[in-house]
Amino acid sequence: MAWAVFGLAVGDWVAWQLVNPNLTFGSSWSSFGRIRPVHTTAVIFGFGGNGLIATSFYVLQRTSRARLAGQLSPWFVLLGYNLFCVLAVTGYMMGITQSKEYAETEWYADIWLVVVWVVYFLIYLRTLARRKEPHIYVANWYYMAFVLVVAMLHIVNNLAVPVSLGHAKSYTLYSGVQDAMIQWWYGHNAVAFFLTAGFLGMMYYFLPVRAGRPIFSYRMSIISFWGITFFYMWAGSHHLHYTALPHWVQTLGMTFSLMLLIPSWASAGNALLTLNGAWDKVRDDATLRFMMVAAVFYGLTTFEGSFMAIRVVNSLSHYTVWTVGHVHAGALGWVAMITFGSIYAIVPWVWKRKDMYSARLVEAHFWLALAGTLIYVFAMWNSGIIQGLMWRTYSESGTLTYSFVDSLIAMHPYYVARAIGGLLFLIGGCIGAYNIWMTIKLPNPIAETTADLPEKAIAGVSAQPAE
Amino acid sequence: MSIFGFHYRMERKAIGLVLGIILVASIGGLVEIAPLFTIHQTVEAAPDMRLYTPLELAGRNIYIREGCYACHSQMIRTLRDEVDRYGPYSLAVESKYDHPMLWGSKRTGPDLARIGEKYSDQWHVAHLLNPRDVVPASVMPAYNWLLTTELRTEDLPLHLKAQRAVGVPYTDDMIANASRDAFGQANPDSPQASGVTERYGKATTLRVFDGRPGQLTEMDAMVAYLQILGRLTDAAHKPVAQAGAKP
């Protein structure tokens, strides 16, 4: 039963990726305003969310050595969550949006998501209650933080009054400066707890299992976990430097964004140090290499994020495509890479296959994804900085040198480069989907695998008491 | 070390972790957000601040529907080049009645916080029909359906009511006449135009925004909204001391 749930979730993830050509939205300017939230929602909530729910159910059962609680409720979460995604995406195309970035869905879909999310959380607690391991494994802390905090953010940010029960439109409770702060408190922590905490949970399970090494440091994982949970919640206001938001809030946001570097690098370092003694596997196994590169990008992106949160840097980078580049370094380099790695690890285990259908295709996917990400990010860095500098360049007579249109024309070659980078990434994704499909269709399943074993060792080692 | 020993015991209890996460994660938000609602200096006083008319509100909703906020910010930062390029920096009070705010996060196109009355209605109509007719290098999509789609006005009273529920001070009179005022504002020669300025103030612009008298299109609403941007109050154009410190 639980396997089936899991299988469906992965299948669904693949479907999402295939129906989502927006990974390359660079050239789809026609109706950009409506398509853009479709893109963000499809990749974040469709791809990311389904990956998270799937792996969280898997990791939860593995590290607790217990079945999921309930027969129907996991199905409800899976189908309900995907119904939410469909409602959201179709709504945007019809122009139904709250215009809150990454929370564009209107009130009816928001309420539905809360119902689904509560069920999800209850499954988690009930399964933990029947666990046979005394300790809750690190990955599960992160998954729990993801579930809890996302619920908190979602509810607070989406409080609104509908025009009527028959209208899709609603007006948010907050206005102006308070709305801006709450929106970016939500927006930044959606990154923190949806795109970071959940995926760190993924990393803390799959990377050590695949490498066959215990997590490098139990204490480092404690520090980084609570550091991330605490510091991240303060950082949202760095999206509003030099705006009408009171100065003290901006300064707090900047300060905590800088401090955030400590737990972030603790996590990235912990992951990379775990690989010590297993680097030969990184060389030979593209799946593990996906996870390794993800950890590297995680480290790079968090450094860049803290750097961009500094007020003077932000004065240049804000409103430019540099921010877009930063987001995609995180989304493609970290989130997508760790998910691909985890999926490649998990698919053979779930369907009881010896290995993926083709290791060469995994290899091809890896290089396409890496090349695509690098092209994309470099194009955006260059163009973002050029754009920011053009906007602030003065001539000798003390007037602005460039009109806005001048900066737009300068962007053109980089927009093309970005679209190519995105296309490479998309091709990689298609190859991955094909490979997964063929793995599932492989004719002779092997009777039993040993997928149970490594994880026990990991859980045992990492939960060692501090002396 | 005791702190890790404590953690070693706590991670055996699911409820302990749950409460710990909620507590630790709540602090940052509470400290940064709650004071914004209680500290009065957060939003400046601007006695001349006026409300969006029903037509402008409808235009604002189209702006949201089409996702304009994804490429256009409405927040001029306190930087010299932005003030030179776009006008006086934005004050908090200017988005006091914005549910939600549309400050934006990306400038694929220019900032629009002070676009109001910088260009003519005709320019806006031409630009929305095909941006490349007036700005050859533009990458903005064309929105030609705005001119052919009739504006829905019958549910505007409900919209104003919902706005009042979240704190915008629309009066009963404004709510009752919302549909009528929307038509009147875009058709100054019609009988419906009579009450608009009484309800929304003398500064309200009554014009045939889309250039087609006698009918009310989404283009009317959109252009009316664009022309009011940055003009709800004069506070930003006054010296700082006067705008900020007034009781």
Side-chain angles (χ1 to χ4, degrees), chain B residues 21 34 48 56 113 117 145 177 182 191:
Chain B
I21 291 168
D48 64 333
E56 289 151 11
E117 302 296 342
W145 59 86
N177 289 293

Side-chain angles (χ1 to χ4, degrees), chain A residues 34 95 101 131 135 141 167 171-172 174-176 178-179 218 226 233-234 315 319 391 394 402, chain B residues 7-8 11-12 25 32 36 61 65-66 75 77 84-85 95-96 98-99 101 105 107 155 159 163:
Chain A
R34 290 189 188 193
E101 284 179 66
R131 72 184 184 278
H135 287 273
W141 312 348
H167 280 79
Y171 291 104
T172 171
Y174 320 109
S175 73
Q178 290 94 354
D179 186 41
Y218 164 71
W226 292 105
M233 301 303 279
W234 298 74
S315 75
Y319 294 133
W391 287 348
Y394 278 88
Y402 300 105
Chain B
H7 198 274
Y8 182 70
E11 69 187 48
R12 288 162 164 258
E32 291 192 345
L36 296 181
N61 287 338
R65 183 187 76 194
E66 302 300 344
M75 172 49 63
R77 298 181 293 171
D84 280 350
R85 189 182 297 278
S95 46
K96 182 177 160 188
D98 286 7
H99 294 266
M101 57 87 202
S105 60
R107 284 182 187 154
D155 57 359
H159 281 266
Q163 286 263 313

Side-chain angles (χ1 to χ4, degrees), chain A residues 57-343:
Chain A
F57 280 163
Y58 181 84
V59 171
L60 178 63
Q61 298 182 76
R62 283 298 176 182
T63 56
S64 306
R65 287 198 287 144
R67 280 260 170 153
L68 281 186
Q71 291 293 309
L72 288 175
S73 48
W75 285 97
F76 175 76
V77 170
L78 171 69
L79 298 173
Y81 183 77
N82 284 292
L83 176 64
F84 164 77
C85 292
V86 172
L87 278 178
V89 167
T90 49
Y92 303 152
M93 300 218 236
M94 291 189 289
I96 299 169
T97 166
Q98 288 192 116
S99 80
K100 288 182 160 235
E101 284 179 66
Y102 316 113
E104 290 95 341
T105 44
E106 272 293 356
W107 59 280
Y108 58 95
D110 287 336
I111 293 174
W112 174 245
L113 183 62
V114 171
V115 174
V116 173
W117 215 249
V118 169
V119 176
Y120 182 29
F121 181 57
L122 288 179
I123 293 175
Y124 226 86
L125 276 191
R126 283 166 61 213
T127 310
L128 279 179
R130 37 165 106 170
R131 72 184 184 278
K132 295 193 186 72
E133 292 282 341
H135 287 273
I136 301 171
Y137 182 57
V138 193
N140 289 321
W141 312 348
Y142 280 105
Y143 281 126
M144 266 163 61
F146 147 65
V147 177
L148 280 168
V149 181
V150 167
M152 206 161 97
L153 298 165
H154 174 75
I155 291 172
V156 173
N157 190 34
N158 284 304
L159 290 176
V161 175
V163 170
S164 83
L165 287 179
H167 280 79
K169 175 86 189 155
S170 70
Y171 291 104
T172 171
L173 229 47
Y174 320 109
S175 73
V177 59
Q178 290 94 354
D179 186 41
M181 184 58 221
I182 289 171
Q183 159 57 24
W184 287 111
W185 169 78
Y186 166 89
H188 195 73
N189 289 300
V191 174
F193 289 90
F194 209 99
L195 297 179
T196 305
F199 290 91
L200 280 173
M202 222 184 252
M203 184 186 82
Y204 270 110
Y205 179 82
F206 289 100
L207 187 129
V209 170
R210 188 77 184 187
R213 305 276 309 166
I215 280 286
F216 171 73
S217 164
Y218 164 71
R219 290 183 172 186
M220 253 163 106
S221 48
I222 292 182
I223 291 171
S224 65
F225 175 73
W226 292 105
I228 282 177
T229 311
F230 182 67
F231 289 153
Y232 245 119
M233 301 303 279
W234 298 74
S237 51
H238 71 221
H239 288 255
L240 301 166
H241 280 321
Y242 299 101
T243 66
L245 184 76
H247 204 68
W248 62 269
V249 191
Q250 299 177 20
T251 308
L252 269 179
M254 174 170 83
T255 316
F256 277 86
S257 303
L258 288 172
M259 290 197 272
L260 197 51
L261 192 59
I262 298 164
S264 300
W265 275 28
S267 276
N270 211 354
L272 293 174
L273 289 169
T274 300
L275 291 172
N276 266 350
W279 288 103
D280 58 316
K281 291 187 188 168
V282 176
R283 184 190 60 209
D284 297 336
D285 179 5
T287 305
L288 190 59
R289 213 179 311 129
F290 260 121
M291 300 186 204
M292 188 277 284
V293 170
V296 172
F297 267 105
Y298 178 64
L300 286 175
T301 311
T302 47
F303 174 76
E304 187 189 20
S306 294
F307 179 63
M308 286 167 77
I310 300 170
R311 195 178 275 122
V312 282
V313 180
N314 196 267
S315 75
L316 178 76
S317 75
H318 193 55
Y319 294 133
T320 71
V321 286
W322 187 357
T323 310
V324 180
H326 168 66
V327 169
H328 283 83
L332 303 179
W334 154 239
V335 172
M337 295 269 201
I338 192 78
T339 311
F340 290 141
S342 302
I343 297 269

